[in-house]
């Protein structure tokens, strides 16, 4: 496997939006209003599962420290009718194609901005209706190499970048710079050079955040930094039989270690003290596993590919790193490592788009069902202690569902739209009562719906009553190669103050 950069050179910064975007924005706003009115006026079909106007999550919300990884719960809006908040086109894509796209890894959101990584820059877009579209631009010292979905409670995150080097030089393609920045302001808080990172590339560099700590692993080394100061806390380098391949962050810090060499590689998972890097426990994964992903650090859950490249099982561990249960995923799609056509770009080991893990349950997406008159797919809840199924959320015919994240003990779900028949929706599902609560109804631009609604192609976020969509690869239109391409879109509730 090559450990060099992606097969394309990122192009220049985006220009301002043109009149084509304004025309599409008007069209989308009209479609949202019409289709939502139909949904709300047609017998209240979307509310068939009941109105959860007294959310348990809101009462359980606990204030987090600023450097903890953000965990937010969602309130039920006064109205679920969607309103377009933001639509941003990326410009100057005339020379891009499917084989050589402009990469746009990383999508984040706060109550003020949507932030998108693209090429060698980060851009913040205002989501207030009366504000200018662009909030800020942070030019990076190289192309993006790794991002993390994690954000601190006060709105900070990190990226790894690839500084430009002379072509053919020893450091050409090396990703050895960590940048920690503020999402709301675009201010770079610190930048550090990773030690002994000559083998860190876009194909093997993985980044995560846990409380007060930024951690990076690249297979032949790893390093952790203090969030506040950027001070290096610990690092590992070549020389050990087992090497840090990736980390999983959030409430805790897990390390995935690969031991030995191909074809006799084995894996271990360790829980680390984030401040020292010392292992608190270690779990040895059975031999014969091809790949291990880490969809959750606390509770610790592994997604493993046994004898195959696709994930075949989830393994639930207890707080001491002991095996609890194994959940076979026959008929399910964990969607681990399936971004970028299965290429290991921009960090993949925490990215299982078909799995969301709560405190006591794992929610997994089924394979697509093509039978007429039946749901296109569904989401099943598995008990992490027993492995038994404890709930099921059905999609609809032609409307697939995708798990997004937990909101307290409830699951947030994105349900794709069906043209003029039914709007897209973000709903909150209580697996204990099987109650579904609509949070947002909207429609997406027809030409971009397929890509925006596909978690393998776009980031889909829901934060503080708003849905955010960010494409990961940008390609010029064959018919109109000089036109801008939709990259970022945000929809908010008409019942929220913006």
């Amino acid at each position: 496997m090559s450990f060099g950069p992606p097969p394309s050179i990122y192009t220049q910064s985006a220009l301002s939006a043109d009149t084509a975007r304004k025309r599409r924005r008007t069209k989308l706003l009209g479609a949202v209003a019409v289709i939502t009115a139909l949904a709300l006026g047609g017998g209240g079909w979307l509310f068939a599962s009941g109105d959860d106007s007294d959310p348990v999550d809101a009462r359980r919300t606990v204030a987090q420290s600023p450097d903890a990884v953000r965990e937010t719960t969602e309130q039920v809006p006064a109205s679920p009718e969607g309103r377009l908040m933001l639509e941003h086109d990326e410009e100057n894509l005339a020379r891009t194609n499917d084989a050589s796209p402009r990469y746009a890894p990383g999508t984040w959101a706060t109550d003020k901005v949507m932030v998108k990584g693209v090429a060698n820059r980060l851009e913040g877009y205002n989501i207030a209706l009366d504000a200018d579209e662009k909030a800020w631009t942070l030019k990076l010292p190289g192309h993006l190499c790794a991002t993390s979905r994690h954000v601190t409670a006060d709105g900070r995150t990190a990226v790894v970048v690839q500084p430009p080097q002379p072509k053919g030089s020893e450091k050409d393609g090396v990703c050895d710079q960590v940048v920690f920045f503020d999402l709301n302001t675009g201010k770079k808080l610190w930048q550090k050079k990773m030690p002994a990172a000559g083998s860190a590339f876009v194909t093997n560099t993985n980044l995560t955040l846990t409380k007060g700590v930024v951690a990076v692993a690249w297979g032949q080394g790893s390093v952790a930094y203090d969030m506040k100061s950027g001070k290096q806390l610990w690092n590992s380098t070549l020389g050990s039989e087992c090497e840090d391949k990736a980390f999983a962050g959030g409430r805790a810090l897990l390390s995935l270690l690969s031991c030995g060499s191909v074809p006799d590689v084995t894996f271990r998972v360790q829980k680390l003290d984030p401040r020292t890097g010392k292992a608190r426990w270690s779990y040895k994964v059975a031999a014969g596993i091809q790949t291990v992903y880490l969809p959750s650090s606390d509770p610790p859950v592994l997604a493993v590919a046994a004898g195959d490249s696709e994930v075949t099982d989830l393994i639930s561990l207890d707080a001491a790193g002991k095996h609890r249960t194994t959940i076979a995923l026959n008929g399910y799609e964990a969607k681990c490592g399936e971004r970028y056509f299965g290429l290991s770009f921009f960090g993949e080991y925490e990215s299982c788009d078909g799995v969301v893990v709560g405190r006591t349950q794992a929610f997994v997406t089924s394979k697509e069902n093509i039978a007429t008159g039946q749901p296109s797919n569904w989401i099943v809840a598995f008990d992490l202690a027993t492995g038994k199924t404890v709930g099921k959320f059905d999609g609809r015919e032609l409307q697939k569902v995708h798990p997004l994240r937990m909101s307290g003990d409830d699951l947030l779900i994105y349900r794709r739209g069906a043209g003029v028949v039914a709007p897209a929706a973000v709903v909150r599902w209580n697996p204990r009562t099987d109650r579904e609560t609509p949070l947002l109804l909207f429609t997406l631009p027809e030409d971009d719906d397929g890509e925006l609604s596909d978690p393998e192609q776009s980031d889909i976020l829901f934060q503080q009553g708003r849905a955010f969509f960010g494409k990961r690869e940008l390609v010029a239109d064959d018919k109109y190669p000089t036109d801008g391409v939709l990259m970022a879109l945000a929809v908010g509730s008409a019942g929220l103050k913006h």
Side-chain angles (χ1 to χ4, degrees), residues 160-207:
V160 177
V161 300
Q162 177 192 86
Q165 301 287 349
K167 286 193 174 182
S169 69
E170 186 176 325
K171 291 190 175 182
D172 185 18
V174 170
C175 302
D176 63 359
Q177 299 286 327
V178 185
V179 175
F180 192 60
F181 66 100
D182 187 296
L183 289 166
N184 286 312
T185 65
K187 181 181 178 181
K188 183 194 296 185
L189 302 174
W190 50 259
Q191 177 179 333
K192 298 295 178 179
K193 183 176 181 179
M194 292 148 50
S199 58
F201 298 100
V202 72
T203 50
N204 65 346
T205 302
N206 291 270
L207 163 75

Side-chain angles (χ1 to χ4, degrees), residues 464-480:
Q464 293 173 289
R466 304 175 179 97
F468 301 89
F469 298 83
K471 293 182 182 178
R472 300 192 190 103
E473 296 184 46
L474 306 172
V475 175
D477 187 282
D478 290 338
K479 293 183 180 179
Y480 307 100

Side-chain angles (χ1 to χ4, degrees), residues 361-424:
Q361 298 168 343
F363 302 87
V364 188
T365 310
S366 75
K367 292 184 179 294
E368 185 173 6
N369 176 30
I370 60 174
T372 302
Q374 297 181 18
S376 292
N377 73 337
W378 46 88
I379 297 169
V380 173
F382 293 93
D383 187 281
L384 291 176
T386 65
K388 295 181 179 180
T389 59
V390 291
K392 180 185 178 188
F393 184 93
D394 281 326
R396 295 177 177 159
E397 187 175 13
L398 304 179
Q399 289 188 268
K400 295 176 69 174
V401 288
H402 306 289
L404 297 181
R405 65 171 176 86
M406 300 304 296
S407 174
D409 291 327
D410 295 347
L411 178 67
L412 299 183
I413 297 170
Y414 172 62
R415 179 164 53 219
R416 297 180 65 163
V420 297
V421 177

Side-chain angles (χ1 to χ4, degrees), residues 17-58:
D18 58 13
T19 56
R21 179 193 313 137
K22 295 178 182 177
R23 289 195 299 269
R24 188 168 62 213
R25 176 186 174 94
T26 302
K27 180 180 178 182
L28 177 59
L29 280 170
V32 169
V34 171
I35 203 165
T36 305
L38 289 173
L40 296 177
W45 56 266
L46 203 76
F47 294 84
S49 295
D51 177 18
D52 189 10
S53 58
D54 182 23
V56 175
D57 290 347

